[in-house]
Amino acid sequence: RHLMQRLDGNGRDVDVRLFRGDLPTTVLHAHPGEQVQVRATGSVQNADLGTNIVQVLLGVDTKVSAELYEGIPRTKEAFERKVNIRAPEQGGIYMIWKSLWERYTMEQALRDFSL
């Protein structure tokens, strides 16, 4: 099952899935501050085969956990990354989510994410 999938208002198609080992997961259990390794796979596509530069970030709560993709996905472009997600220091239940940006660089997307 897909962790996250949407066709946003601008026609971009973004799909992200998380795996622990070979098993897909939508829930990660961790102690406060613990680092959990997952494999993130997915795809991204610009609307109308556009030429926008796109970044896909993975977030936990209000912080970026991983940079998943940066490029110009004219057709549906797949990505796969092994990433380490650090659990927040305060115990609790937190949402894992994706964030799609159209910036010239990943640094700009990361800066704007934190504003």
Side-chain angles (χ1 to χ4, degrees):
R1 181 169 167 114
H2 294 261
L3 173 65
M4 301 171 249
Q5 184 173 9
R6 74 177 172 139
L7 189 63
D8 71 12
N10 295 318
R12 293 173 300 243
D13 182 17
V14 182
D15 175 38
V16 177
R17 300 176 203 168
L18 297 181
F19 294 83
R20 297 242 9 220
D22 291 332
L23 300 174
T25 186
T26 57
V27 176
L28 298 174
H29 296 274
H31 295 286
E34 181 181 355
Q35 191 166 282
V36 178
Q37 187 179 68
V38 297
R39 181 171 49 95
T41 68
S43 62
V44 61
Q45 180 175 354
N46 267 326
D48 301 322
L49 305 178
T51 58
N52 296 343
I53 302 168
V54 172
Q55 296 83 25
V56 178
L57 304 172
L58 188 68
V60 173
D61 192 28
T62 61
K63 294 185 171 61
V64 173
S65 289
E67 303 167 11
L68 299 181
Y69 175 86
E70 181 176 33
I72 303 172
R74 291 192 176 127
T75 60
K76 188 172 258 190
E77 191 166 319
F79 57 84
E80 181 173 339
R81 290 219 189 313
K82 286 187 179 177
V83 297
N84 292 312
I85 297 175
R86 184 168 302 280
E89 293 295 329
Q90 184 73 15
I93 298 172
Y94 296 90
M95 187 166 81
I96 301 171
W97 52 285
K98 70 168 183 313
S99 180
L100 180 119
W101 293 84
E102 289 184 346
R103 300 296 187 265
Y104 285 109
T105 66
M106 182 62 80
E107 290 75 24
Q108 288 175 330
L110 291 168
R111 181 197 68 221
D112 291 349
F113 181 97
S114 64
L115 293 178

